Every structure is written in structure tokens, then in C-alpha cells.
Amino acid sequence: MIRQCFIIFGCLAFGELIVWLTGITIPSSIIGMLTLTALLETKAVKLDWVKGMADFLISNLGFFFVPPGVALMLYFDIIKAEILPISVATVVSTILVLVVTGWTDQLVRRLNEKKKSHGTTEK
């Protein structure tokens, strides 16, 4: 359990260090997740080394949204005044994400089909 915490929080700390040293505007948690992903992909860290803690964190993910949700109540007057732009932005961005995801999926499927068809004809 200690090793799992050390690896996950070590990646987070590495992200914090990178942001502090470089001043880049990417969130340190994203850099930490990318670091952990790279370590897992390169087999420098085995999945078994972090699986237990990762499963625990994912199963309790909703708990981590409580503080930001409560903090939103502090800005209820601003949200109420800007409900139309917020709603429009939410609907438009949701539609854009669905469309772009669909197009990307179709493109990837076509590329995979071309790759498979070229692979089978060469034999």
C-alpha cells in the first residue's frame, strides 16, 4: 500500500515540480497523470504496483467532487445572472464533443480497416 501511494503521489509531486520549475500553465495533476501513464507504458512501473490504490481512488471519485460542488454555491448569484450563456456553452460544447468523437471514431475505424486489408493482401 505504501509503494502504491508513493508512486501515485510521487507522480503528482513530479507534476508540481515541473509546473513550479517551468511556470507552464498545464495543471500539475495532468502532468502527473501523463508521467504515470508513461511509466506504465514503458513498464518502468508495473500495473500491479498501483492497481489497488487506483481502484480505491476511482471507486471513491464522487467524494472528491463534493468540495468543488459546495464551493459553487458561493457563486450562485453569478451563475444565476449568467445562466443563458452557461447553458448555451454547455449544449454547444456537448454537441461538438459528440460530433468530433464520432468523426474520430469513424476515421480510426477506416484506418484500421485499410491497415487490415493491406495486411491480408500482401500475404
Side-chain angles (χ1 to χ4, degrees):
M1 185 66 86
I2 292 173
R3 176 173 56 180
Q4 294 177 25
C5 287
F6 180 78
I7 292 170
I8 291 174
F9 292 118
C11 289
L12 179 61
F14 177 75
E16 290 283 345
L17 178 67
I18 295 297
V19 168
W20 181 73
L21 288 175
T22 64
I24 59 176
T25 57
I26 299 172
S28 58
S29 58
I30 300 297
I31 295 171
M33 281 193 294
L34 291 173
T35 303
L36 181 59
T37 301
L39 291 172
L40 288 166
E41 287 293 324
T42 59
K43 307 285 192 237
V45 171
K46 294 181 180 173
L47 182 59
D48 293 340
W49 293 356
V50 293
K51 186 168 178 22
M53 181 58 67
D55 288 343
F56 171 78
L57 291 171
I58 289 171
S59 66
N60 293 293
L61 192 60
F63 176 74
F64 298 111
F65 285 99
V66 171
V70 171
L72 278 176
M73 290 194 291
L74 296 174
Y75 303 101
F76 188 68
D77 54 336
I78 297 171
I79 294 170
K80 185 178 177 184
E82 300 294 331
I83 193 67
L84 184 62
I86 291 171
S87 299
V88 170
T90 301
V91 169
V92 170
S93 64
T94 299
I95 292 169
L96 282 173
V97 166
L98 288 170
V99 169
V100 170
T101 301
W103 286 344
T104 303
D105 180 61
Q106 289 177 356
L107 177 66
V108 169
R109 286 176 185 253
R110 283 189 204 124
L111 291 173
N112 281 340
E113 287 173 6
K114 284 182 182 179
K115 188 177 177 181
K116 286 180 182 178
S117 66
H118 290 318
T120 56
T121 57
E122 292 177 4
K123 290 181 180 180

